[in-house]
């Protein structure tokens, strides 16, 4: 499946993008091991979150069929998961495999987690190392999936200092900590998304957060609850960039999660000159939410502050499209983590930008982009959803047609992207040839 884009256009209207992916994974996991029922709204019915949902059904958890983002989970309690029937395939989803590795490490039964070609290349040593220190036994294929997790291991709490700023690793260790004896704590080198901590608290589980350290005592109880998941700021980011770069745009993004560990994209785009207005700010189940109005504005290149990188990690591909349309030079450094996402996102973005005539220089840990005139061309997505959606937005400022090849993976995080984008003005067609 490919995207075919006519150049030009503007984004106008008011839309709500689908639910937050990180929270959708977590609500299934925590709802499954809670006591009693959890009712969810705003659930992301994308392939990644559905992979997590399928895996927990496979372990005996009753989860209703999602309907317009609503579902319910019949929690089985901390010790109630059953051995899965066969290998659990979580597709493209790094969040599923890394968080579930932690959650499964302390079970009485053994399990095997695998995924698609992209996931089979992604590094898992970052979770295997701390989980092994806790007493888990996990084998991998040279640090990559499949992961074979041995059952019946007694876990003990550890104090772990994360070598990389990763919410997936933090969450994996904390989820293992629920099943461990004693106290488990994690120290982050820089703040990362804190949905696990917030949601655990929402499920009534005590979490201690103190100057970069997050900890919990094992063996407690989670209570089923109601969770309303806001729209995903990572999906909203493509539209923030699109509306900023396309002259005449005026777009409202409704009910967007603006958790301060996720909103780096707003600060970075504003520093570049973007006109983003936040209104109706409110708290929804422990997560801050707002409506965002974006009007087109001339952008200028900046040095992206290194401390913002973990707070905008999934939005950096879209931000680099803004950089391509900005006056002057944008420098991104300290972003080596981009190399181990669904594709090597530094290489994928550099290749695509070059294809469209935008000068750039690649660094081991980032990229420098010189703003200029965007041409047409064919973009290889490397089967990476965020690369596909970022380059789709580039068409708004292109002088010629753009074909974005192999876009099927967009459904992992943003089902309905093409239709929604076309509805507000992106000149996008989808075809198989
Ligand atoms: C996620 C954390 C981030 C992010 C990913 C989702 C999460 O990964 O890139 O899309 O839900 O915890 P890292 O923890 O590897 O930075």
């Amino acid at each position: 499946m490919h995207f075919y884009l006519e150049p030009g256009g503007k984004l106008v209207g008011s839309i709500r993008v689908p639910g937050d992916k990180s929270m959708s994974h977590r609500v299934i996991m925590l709802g499954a091991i809670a006591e009693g029922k959890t009712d969810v709204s705003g659930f992301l019915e994308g392939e990644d979150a559905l992979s997590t949902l399928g895996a927990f059904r496979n372990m005996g958890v009753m989860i209703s069929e999602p309907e317009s983002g609503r579902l319910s989970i019949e929690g089985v309690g901390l010790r109630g998961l059953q051995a899965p029937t066969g290998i659990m395939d979580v597709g493209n989803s790094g969040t599923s495999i890394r968080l579930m590795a932690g959650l499964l490490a302390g079970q009485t039964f053994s399990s095997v987690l695998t995924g698609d070609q992209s996931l089979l290349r992604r590094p898992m040593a970052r979770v295997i190392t701390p989980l092994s220190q806790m007493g888990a036994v996990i084998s991998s294929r040279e640090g990559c999936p499949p992961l074979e997790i041995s059952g019946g291991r007694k876990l003990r709490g550890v104090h772990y200092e994360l070598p990389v700023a990763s919410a997936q690793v933090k969450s994996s260790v904390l989820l293992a900590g629920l099943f461990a004896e004693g106290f488990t704590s994690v120290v982050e080198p820089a703040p990362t998304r804190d949905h696990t901590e917030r949601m655990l608290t929402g499920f009534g589980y005590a979490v201690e957060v103190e100057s970069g350290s997050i900890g919990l005592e094992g063996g407690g109880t989670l209570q089923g609850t109601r969770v309303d998941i806001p729209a995903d700021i990572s999906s909203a980011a493509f539209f923030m960039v699109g509306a900023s770069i396309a002259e005449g745009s005026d777009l409202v993004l409704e009910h967007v999660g603006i958790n301060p560990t996720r909103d780096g994209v707003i600060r970075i785009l504003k520093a570049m000159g973007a006109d983003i207005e936040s209104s109706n700010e409110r708290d929804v189940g422990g997560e801050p939410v707002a409506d965002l109005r974006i009007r087109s504005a001339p952008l200028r290149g900046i040095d992206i502050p290194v401390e913002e990188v973990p707070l905008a990690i999934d939005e950096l591909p879209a931000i680099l499209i803004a950089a391509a349309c900005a006056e002057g030079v944008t420098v991104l450094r300290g972003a080596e983590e981009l190399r181990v996402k669904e594709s090597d996102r530094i290489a994928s973005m550099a290749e695509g930008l070059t294809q469209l005539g935008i000068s750039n220089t690649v660094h081991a840990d980032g990229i420098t982009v010189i703003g200029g005139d965007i041409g047409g061309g064919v973009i290889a997505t490397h089967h990476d959803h965020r690369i596909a959606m970022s380059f789709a937005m580039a068409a708004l400022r292109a002088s010629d047609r753009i074909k974005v090849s192999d876009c099927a993976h967009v459904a992992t995080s943003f089902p309905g992207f093409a239709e929604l984008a076309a509805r507000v003005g992106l000149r996008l067609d989808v075809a198989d040839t």
Side-chain angles (χ1 to χ4, degrees), residues 226-259:
R226 255 210 67 79
V227 180
D228 180 6
I229 298 174
D232 196 330
I233 191 168
S234 300
S235 297
F238 305 109
F239 289 92
M240 290 184 211
V241 168
S244 296
I245 63 175
E247 211 185 320
S249 294
D250 187 350
L251 187 69
V252 174
L253 300 168
E254 300 156 13
H255 204 73
V256 180
I258 52 158
N259 178 315

Side-chain angles (χ1 to χ4, degrees), residues 107-422:
Q107 303 297 329
T108 51
F109 52 83
S110 297
S111 50
V112 181
L113 293 168
T114 192
D116 69 7
Q117 288 307 314
S118 155
L119 197 66
L120 293 179
R121 287 193 297 269
R122 296 185 65 189
M124 295 297 140
R126 53 182 59 198
V127 290
I128 297 173
T129 301
L131 296 175
S132 303
Q133 285 177 20
M134 297 176 80
V137 175
I138 302 176
S139 67
S140 67
R141 211 177 46 201
E142 289 171 22
C144 293
L147 300 182
E148 290 182 29
I149 303 162
S150 300
R153 306 286 159 170
K154 280 222 169 316
L155 302 188
R156 54 192 173 272
V158 286
H159 175 76
Y160 188 67
E161 301 206 359
L162 294 177
V164 282
S166 163
Q168 291 179 353
V169 180
K170 168 178 67 176
S171 303
S172 184
V173 174
L174 291 175
L175 290 175
L178 295 174
F179 299 89
E181 205 171 286
F183 198 76
T184 297
S185 59
V186 181
V187 175
E188 307 187 272
T192 66
R193 66 190 68 194
D194 62 359
H195 305 302
T196 301
E197 301 90 297
R198 283 178 190 250
M199 209 181 272
L200 277 168
T201 308
F203 275 86
Y205 206 98
V207 181
E208 286 180 22
V209 181
E210 215 184 277
S211 54
S213 167
I214 304 107
L216 53 78
E217 187 73 34
T221 304
L222 290 86
Q223 280 303 337
T225 184
R226 255 210 67 79
V227 180
D228 180 6
I229 298 174
D232 196 330
I233 191 168
S234 300
S235 297
F238 305 109
F239 289 92
M240 290 184 211
V241 168
S244 296
I245 63 175
E247 211 185 320
S249 294
D250 187 350
L251 187 69
V252 174
L253 300 168
E254 300 156 13
H255 204 73
V256 180
I258 52 158
N259 178 315
T261 59
R262 294 286 298 283
D263 65 350
V265 60
I266 299 177
R267 283 186 299 274
I268 293 168
L269 290 175
K270 279 187 172 170
M272 296 176 79
D275 178 356
I276 303 176
E277 209 180 282
S278 166
S279 66
N280 199 11
E281 289 188 16
R282 55 214 183 263
D283 179 281
V284 178
E287 289 278 352
V289 170
D291 299 327
L292 302 175
R293 180 179 182 187
I294 303 103
R295 280 170 284 193
S296 52
L299 302 183
R300 54 185 174 272
I302 59 164
D303 284 2
I304 297 175
V306 175
E307 65 276 14
E308 292 287 8
V309 167
L311 310 178
I313 192 72
D314 290 341
E315 296 70 64
L316 291 168
I319 290 167
L320 293 175
I321 297 298
C325 300
E327 171 106 30
V329 179
T330 296
V331 182
L332 170 65
R333 302 303 296 253
E336 50 278 274
E337 275 295 300
L338 287 183
R339 294 213 179 263
V340 290
K341 295 295 178 188
E342 285 82 330
S343 71
D344 174 343
R345 287 185 174 156
I346 294 174
S348 303
M349 287 307 298
E351 181 189 324
L353 290 171
T354 303
Q355 195 66 25
L356 299 183
I358 297 296
S359 299
N360 62 85
T361 310
V362 167
H363 317 291
D365 65 342
I367 184 169
T368 296
V369 175
I370 303 172
D373 295 328
I374 296 187
V378 179
I379 302 295
T381 60
H382 300 279
H383 305 284
D384 184 331
H385 54 137
R386 299 202 197 281
I387 300 299
M389 291 184 274
S390 298
F391 280 105
M393 290 297 167
L396 290 159
R397 280 280 286 270
S399 57
D400 211 340
R401 286 178 175 170
I402 294 178
K403 174 185 174 185
V404 185
S405 301
D406 299 320
C407 296
H409 280 75
V410 164
T412 59
S413 67
F414 201 151
F417 166 78
E419 297 75 12
L420 199 61

Side-chain angles (χ1 to χ4, degrees), residues 33-58:
I33 57 170
E35 304 281 344
K37 190 174 174 189
T38 292
D39 285 309
V40 184
S41 59
F43 181 78
L44 168 66
E45 293 170 51
E47 288 167 6
D48 277 10
L50 292 173
S51 291
T52 294
L53 186 155
F56 278 84
R57 277 187 179 154
N58 194 347

